[in-house]
Amino acid sequence: MLSSFLSPISILLVLSLYFDDAVSSSEVSTKIGKGYRLISLEETSDGGLLGLLQVKQKNNIYGPDIPLLQLYVRHETEDRLRVHITDAEKQRWEVPYNLLPREQPPKAKQTIGKSIPRTAADYPGSELIFSYKSDPFGFSIKRKSNGQTIFNSSPDESDPYGNLVYKDQYIEISTKLPSDASLYGLGENTQPHGIKLYPNDPYTLYTTDISAINLNTDLYGSHPVYMDLRNGGGEAFAHAVLLLNSNGMDVFYRGTSLTYKVIGGVFDFYFFAGPTPLNVVDQYTQLVGRPAPMPYWSFGFHQCRWGYHNLSVVEDVVANYEKAEIPLDVIWNDDDHMDGHKDFTLNPTNYPRPKLLAFLNKIHAKGMKYVVIIDPGIGVNSTYGVYQRGMANDVFIKYEGEPFLAQVWPGPVYFPDFLNPKTVSWWGDEIRRFHELVPVDGLWIDMNEASNFCTGKCTIPKGKQCPSGTGPGWICCLDCKNVTATRWDDPPYKINASGQQVPIGYKTIATSAIHYNGVREYDAHSLYGFSQAIATHKALQGLEGKRPFILSRSTFVGSGAYAAHWTGDNKGTWDDLRYSISTMLNFGIFGVPMVGSDICGFYPAPTEELCNRWIELGAFYPFSRDHANYYSPRQELYQWASVAKSARNALGMRYKLLPYLYTLNYEAHTSGAPIARPLFFSFPNIPELYGLSTQFLLGHSVMVSPVLTQGKTEVKALFPGGTWYSLFDMTQAIVSKEAHFLTLDAPLNVINVHLYQNTILPMQRGGTISKEARMTPFSLIVSFPAGASEGQATGELFLDDDQLPEMKLGNGYSTFINFYATMSQKTIKIWSEVQEGKFAVSKGWTIEKVTVLGLDGISKSFELEISGEPVTDTSNIEFAASEHNFLNKLEDGHKKKSMVVEVKGLELPVGENFAMSWKMGI
């Protein structure tokens, strides 16, 4: 939903008062102090290292130095190394261990007492080596396999950064980087230069309600992790670095160095060895949490709008999608269904409960779903049951002993404190009550950065209505005073919040406000949406034991284990269309693979051409939703005939690919692998792909190449070496030995999607709703290199009861199939190996067709086995063949004979092993 309305709003007056004597975060080259020296080091009982660091020379820049630090280093797994540095004498704020489970560092008393040399030494693990020097203290991390240094915090005199700095409200550390390192991550922000981090662009991490149209700005999420990809001698190595810290921070990337400037917490570094990008995300999500399993229907198309004023409008939208034969699985409500914008309520006039329940019964019978929004702010209203129960349970964040007053859509609100166990229970009870009122299928948690239309300490004005009911709802109507009296509201170092160094409490909760157990908002601010997602996930799963679907705007490290994400308030422009790809790909790296942007843009009015191109791209977002602003014209996909045509084409392919997307969902849940990923994930040794931000892969081998420029009817796409086949016309093939650009035709209603060689792709017939599409017969696309005499291909398919909370084998309600194919000595063999086939057999799923790409002939010497038994009656099986059309000139100058061969009329049970073979023509 629109929030601080496309801000940043002018705040020059606030800034002029705020920064009179502040030290600016733009002074990135200031060297502070002489660092620390290592004065003791011992081996711990868990095989780690525990040491003490003493400050060398005190100073008061950004506050006094912490005199004594504790260093803890441990190889936690074969490919994960942790370096933890904190105050040796006082406990400091860390991301709560119950919120993000992980091992707790020991204290000095737990050491064995075995002394270790303190001058300089190595501490090797299976793949990573921790090395240190003692005075001034610095450490480096190297690969054992090739000696590559992946992190080095020890500066030289010529470096623009200094030694380790550790103060109460300012900690700083840097690392050297080779000039050829390609970095990705450090979000959430909208990156105009593409997916690669761009030297000297600002990277500030602090959850902020500021729309995604603002470039290089701290947006809704905080993900202090980056992936580093390097290519030496044609071989790529990837690793990642996570700084697990929820405090606000600036990260300065200069190309040859990277510096963290953090306003609190601890240095809790995790280094992930890779060496492939997929390995990195696997190792990262093993720590922070595997991505949540998503229900099958969530991979269908979603329609939303802020401004569906009454139920009849929603009914009309659903009817028009059906009439236009455009796929639609989920209809959403923004806050239009609410009574006075209050959570867990229904507007009795515009959304009367009896009529809404009748509507839901109707769409649920078809298999459609219904999702609504809830915001964290609870309206201060003595007649409002949610507020009454919240007050009775004492669940709200406090300021000076009273609930902190803010303003969001209902007017004056209090914010629930999701760090409080009582709040989690109360929240779950409110969701239960609402679900009994309205059987929603998922929840959309918005405004959870947390967003506040006011700033400072506020009171409800006397003698006037607030809000007035006229004018923009995001204008503050409370009586407020700025809060800058404490060092928590006015810290000594100013991060580049909102891209303008605004006060960190600006348009959010005052950072001196208090959470459960005395935790300050100053420390916990960026965890708010994460903690709400955890509470919401627990509540939904507890309702009926079904798999939850939650969409969250604000995210943190680990959010992907509970929620999907959309990229927030974007604009209906060609630039925003392009930016959406980079943000989507970043979130895959962050372990949040279920992600997408508002298709056609959230505001203002997209052009017809733009909406065509956006649905063509958005049909291949993992999370595919059209969402528009209250003030924008209607932009449902049926509003233009040309857009409806593009939607039928692109979404038609998406719905055929649903079994593939759902299998990628399973892969993400079990290994962290992004659903949508950069091309370098599959082709890491090709440097030309490292900055490619205009194309992407779904899984390992389906490549999407959208048109992103106004007026274009062709697209220049980069194809890695090998054979690629068009999924929309499998007679079209592209072949080359090396990566190369090729210009493809792309008329208004066409998007180019290609399948790489050596793949077996499971598909179904499709349809206009996933429930029906899911029950249609399967087909397999087997892709060999064009014209090759030898080849092999593999694929996977995961099927389950998607209402189950867990997505796994072994429960009796899931099936996993490995598909294999070989081409050798003029013989084609295709077979399956099924794990736990009972579920698939019970559903009656069958394979009706196998299409093989890249053959040079066909004959009728066909053999088929099912579960090891020969099938003698193959009279209904048909062969069809057509020749490939090569879209590019073949490099050897000769036209290879290459064919598409279809084997139709099959009735192969998906849940049973099968094997088929035939001889190619001579």
Side-chain angles (χ1 to χ4, degrees):
M1 181 196 293
L2 202 66
S3 42
S4 300
F5 200 58
L6 324 171
S7 325
I9 299 169
S10 175
I11 47 172
L12 295 177
L13 289 176
V14 177
L15 294 176
S16 65
L17 295 173
Y18 188 66
F19 290 115
D20 282 346
D21 56 357
V23 181
S24 169
S25 64
S26 63
E27 296 177 287
V28 297
S29 61
T30 302
K31 295 185 179 182
I32 305 169
K34 302 295 183 181
Y36 286 73
R37 65 170 64 90
L38 181 67
I39 60 172
S40 74
L41 191 65
E42 296 178 312
E43 187 174 325
T44 63
S45 57
D46 61 6
L49 302 179
L50 196 65
L52 291 176
L53 305 173
Q54 185 180 60
V55 69
K56 293 189 65 176
Q57 180 180 316
K58 294 182 179 180
N59 66 76
N60 286 312
I61 301 174
Y62 303 135
D65 297 280
I66 294 175
L68 200 63
L69 302 178
Q70 176 182 288
L71 166 71
Y72 174 64
V73 184
R74 182 165 178 258
H75 294 280
E76 293 190 336
T77 69
E78 290 185 353
D79 40 41
R80 183 174 83 225
L81 170 66
R82 185 182 189 185
V83 178
H84 184 278
I85 304 174
T86 188
D87 190 328
E89 299 175 310
K90 297 179 182 178
Q91 184 173 345
R92 288 179 64 80
W93 165 259
E94 297 188 50
V95 174
Y97 283 79
N98 64 333
L99 211 61
L100 191 68
R102 59 204 189 278
E103 297 180 20
Q104 295 210 35
K107 296 297 182 183
K109 64 182 179 181
Q110 297 175 6
T111 62
I112 295 174
K114 179 181 177 182
S115 180
I116 295 171
R118 294 197 304 271
T119 53
D122 292 342
Y123 170 50
S126 296
E127 172 56 11
L128 297 178
I129 302 170
F130 173 84
S131 302
Y132 66 88
K133 67 174 190 176
S134 61
D135 190 5
F137 172 76
F139 70 90
S140 63
I141 314 296
K142 294 181 180 180
R143 287 190 187 280
K144 183 182 288 186
S145 59
N146 62 5
Q148 184 182 75
T149 299
I150 66 174
F151 196 92
N152 184 357
S153 72
S154 300
D156 299 322
E157 287 299 320
S158 60
D159 289 326
Y161 53 88
N163 290 292
L164 173 68
V165 180
Y166 218 118
K167 299 162 187 287
D168 190 23
Q169 289 183 265
Y170 180 82
I171 59 177
E172 178 185 324
I173 196 169
S174 300
T175 178
K176 292 178 172 64
L177 290 167
S179 58
D180 63 344
S182 295
L183 269 56
Y184 311 87
L186 295 180
E188 175 181 10
N189 62 13
T190 300
Q191 299 173 194
H193 296 107
I195 186 174
K196 271 179 64 172
L197 299 188
Y198 196 78
N200 300 316
D201 272 358
Y203 296 96
T204 298
L205 283 76
Y206 190 72
T207 62
T208 306
D209 173 14
I210 182 171
S211 63
I213 68 170
N214 294 279
L215 308 180
N216 292 323
T217 303
D218 48 317
L219 299 179
Y220 311 107
S222 176
H223 295 271
V225 59
Y226 68 86
M227 178 187 291
D228 183 335
L229 181 62
R230 305 177 190 177
N231 192 304
E235 185 177 7
F237 288 86
H239 67 269
V241 179
L242 165 67
L243 171 55
L244 188 55
N245 183 303
S246 64
N247 291 82
M249 68 180 79
D250 289 327
V251 184
F252 293 97
Y253 171 48
R254 304 180 187 90
T256 57
S257 67
L258 187 143
T259 298
Y260 297 90
K261 298 185 174 218
V262 194
I263 61 173
V266 302
F267 284 131
D268 192 3
F269 281 107
Y270 291 85
F271 300 92
F272 306 93
T276 71
L278 275 176
N279 293 151
V280 165
V281 183
D282 185 358
Q283 295 152 15
Y284 177 69
T285 56
Q286 185 181 7
L287 172 70
V288 306
R290 298 298 196 193
M294 295 290 160
Y296 200 90
W297 55 263
S298 68
F299 288 91
F301 182 69
H302 304 243
Q303 177 61 51
C304 183
R305 176 180 171 79
W306 180 29
Y308 289 150
H309 300 296
N310 56 53
L311 179 58
S312 63
V313 178
V314 177
E315 292 173 320
D316 183 64
V317 169
V318 172
N320 278 308
Y321 266 94
E322 187 172 0
K323 182 180 178 181
E325 298 181 328
I326 300 172
L328 179 65
D329 258 77
V330 192
I331 188 70
W332 293 56
N333 263 130
D334 208 307
D335 72 355
D336 303 292
H337 69 284
M338 296 181 182
D339 183 11
H341 306 285
K342 299 190 298 292
D343 282 348
F344 309 121
T345 64
L346 282 180
N347 184 309
T349 302
N350 296 333
Y351 284 83
R353 183 170 181 258
K355 290 186 177 180
L356 179 59
L357 292 181
F359 168 71
L360 294 184
N361 285 338
K362 182 179 178 182
I363 67 168
H364 282 157
K366 297 178 182 178
M368 284 185 63
K369 306 297 180 180
Y370 180 60
V371 177
V372 300
I373 199 170
I374 47 174
D375 296 336
I378 300 300
V380 177
N381 185 325
S382 60
T383 65
Y384 176 33
V386 179
Y387 167 80
Q388 294 169 348
R389 291 183 289 271
M391 290 297 290
N393 285 282
D394 192 24
V395 303
F396 299 114
I397 293 171
K398 300 290 182 61
Y399 186 87
E400 296 179 343
E402 298 294 327
F404 175 77
L405 184 69
Q407 180 189 331
V408 200
W409 298 113
V413 299
Y414 294 154
F415 287 116
D417 175 11
F418 293 104
L419 299 183
N420 186 340
K422 285 199 305 182
T423 306
V424 175
S425 299
W426 161 82
W427 186 251
D429 184 59
E430 296 302 336
I431 289 176
R432 177 191 62 78
R433 290 170 182 266
F434 181 61
H435 194 266
E436 290 176 355
L437 184 73
V438 185
V440 297
D441 301 289
L443 289 173
W444 171 17
I445 52 177
D446 191 18
M447 308 288 284
N448 52 354
E449 293 71 33
S451 176
N452 180 2
F453 298 160
C454 301
T455 300
K457 182 181 181 182
C458 304
T459 57
I460 299 175
K462 296 180 180 180
K464 71 172 184 177
Q465 185 177 340
C466 175
S468 66
T470 62
W474 54 87
I475 301 299
C476 180
C477 61
L478 302 178
D479 290 336
C480 302
K481 296 180 180 179
N482 284 336
V483 178
T484 57
T486 75
R487 62 192 180 103
W488 311 112
D489 300 291
D490 186 13
Y493 176 81
K494 319 302 179 189
I495 63 170
N496 193 29
S498 298
Q500 300 183 51
Q501 294 185 327
V502 304
I504 56 174
Y506 180 72
K507 292 297 188 78
T508 188
I509 301 167
T511 44
S512 52
I514 302 297
H515 290 255
Y516 175 72
N517 222 13
V519 171
R520 293 185 186 88
E521 171 71 7
Y522 180 87
D523 295 311
H525 171 82
S526 289
L527 295 174
Y528 194 84
F530 177 46
S531 61
Q532 185 194 17
I534 295 173
T536 306
H537 189 276
K538 180 179 180 181
L540 284 180
Q541 191 160 296
L543 285 178
E544 300 171 323
K546 292 182 179 180
R547 187 176 303 174
F549 175 78
I550 300 161
L551 184 72
S552 181
R553 191 168 74 177
S554 186
T555 58
F556 185 72
V557 174
S559 283
Y562 304 94
H565 174 65
W566 94 108
T567 63
D569 296 350
N570 61 358
K571 205 169 183 177
T573 71
W574 293 92
D575 283 342
D576 286 76
L577 175 67
R578 187 176 72 255
Y579 301 152
S580 73
I581 297 177
S582 295
T583 307
M584 171 182 68
L585 297 180
N586 263 326
F587 269 88
I589 294 172
F590 296 152
V592 189
M594 192 63 163
V595 59
S597 293
D598 284 347
I599 291 170
C600 298
F602 181 62
Y603 88 103
T607 65
E608 181 177 351
E609 182 191 2
L610 175 62
C611 207
N612 269 281
R613 294 309 190 186
W614 212 319
I615 185 54
E616 290 168 7
L617 167 60
F620 299 97
Y621 292 154
F623 172 64
S624 182
R625 185 184 71 159
D626 181 312
H627 177 42
N629 171 25
Y630 184 100
Y631 296 94
S632 298
R634 297 283 291 270
Q635 64 182 46
E636 292 84 6
L637 302 179
Y638 54 78
Q639 297 288 347
W640 301 272
S642 70
V643 176
K645 182 178 179 181
S646 292
R648 284 189 291 269
N649 186 47
L651 289 173
M653 179 58 72
R654 179 188 182 90
Y655 274 62
K656 291 177 183 177
L657 289 170
L658 284 177
Y660 178 66
L661 290 171
Y662 193 68
T663 302
L664 294 178
N665 177 31
Y666 175 71
E667 184 185 352
H669 180 57
T670 53
S671 71
I675 296 171
R677 56 189 81 162
L679 269 67
F680 66 73
F681 266 65
S682 289
F683 306 95
N685 295 328
I686 305 176
E688 295 92 330
L689 302 178
Y690 292 1
L692 185 63
S693 307
T694 54
Q695 298 166 247
F696 59 94
L697 293 173
L698 292 174
H700 296 274
S701 52
V702 174
M703 184 171 71
V704 182
S705 306
V707 173
L708 303 172
T709 306
Q710 183 177 5
K712 295 292 186 182
T713 56
E714 58 186 26
V715 60
K716 187 178 181 181
L718 182 56
F719 286 84
T723 304
W724 295 86
Y725 300 97
S726 169
L727 270 186
F728 285 97
D729 180 358
M730 287 181 234
T731 65
Q732 293 188 7
I734 294 166
V735 184
S736 75
K737 294 179 181 177
E738 305 292 337
H740 71 293
F741 280 99
L742 184 65
T743 300
L744 306 172
D745 287 337
L748 186 61
N749 303 119
V750 170
I751 183 168
N752 282 276
V753 181
H754 289 85
L755 177 68
Y756 194 53
Q757 64 188 33
N758 308 325
T759 303
I760 301 178
L761 180 69
M763 299 176 72
Q764 286 175 288
R765 289 182 184 177
T768 57
I769 191 166
S770 65
K771 180 182 178 180
E772 296 174 358
R774 194 178 188 195
M775 297 311 297
T776 60
F778 282 81
S779 60
L780 300 179
I781 314 299
V782 181
S783 62
F784 291 120
S789 57
E790 303 280 332
Q792 58 184 15
T794 60
E796 298 174 341
L797 176 62
F798 178 81
L799 302 160
D800 75 346
D801 178 350
D802 70 319
Q803 295 193 82
L804 294 175
E806 292 296 325
M807 191 179 202
K808 62 182 181 181
L809 293 171
N811 57 15
Y813 295 94
S814 56
T815 296
F816 187 84
I817 305 107
N818 287 105
F819 296 110
Y820 302 93
T822 60
M823 174 174 55
S824 179
Q825 297 178 341
K826 296 290 184 179
T827 299
I828 305 299
K829 294 181 180 180
I830 302 169
W831 71 98
S832 68
E833 293 179 1
V834 179
Q835 298 180 52
E836 302 181 28
K838 180 181 177 182
F839 174 71
V841 170
S842 72
K843 293 294 184 181
W845 280 313
T846 61
I847 298 169
E848 65 176 351
K849 181 172 68 173
V850 174
T851 303
V852 186
L853 310 177
L855 302 185
D856 65 0
I858 184 173
S859 75
K860 294 184 179 180
S861 57
F862 181 72
E863 296 179 357
L864 175 63
E865 291 181 357
I866 298 177
S867 298
E869 296 295 324
V871 176
T872 56
D873 182 10
T874 59
S875 58
N876 292 328
I877 296 175
E878 301 177 18
F879 284 81
S882 55
E883 198 164 334
H884 279 301
N885 173 32
F886 294 102
L887 298 186
N888 59 324
K889 185 178 179 181
L890 298 181
E891 290 170 345
D892 59 9
H894 295 90
K895 187 173 183 180
K896 297 177 181 177
K897 184 177 181 181
S898 181
M899 304 185 73
V900 180
V901 176
E902 287 187 346
V903 184
K904 298 182 285 188
L906 300 169
E907 294 182 2
L908 304 177
V910 171
E912 297 182 20
N913 292 342
F914 74 84
M916 65 170 66
S917 64
W918 71 86
K919 293 283 187 180
M920 290 187 290
I922 304 301

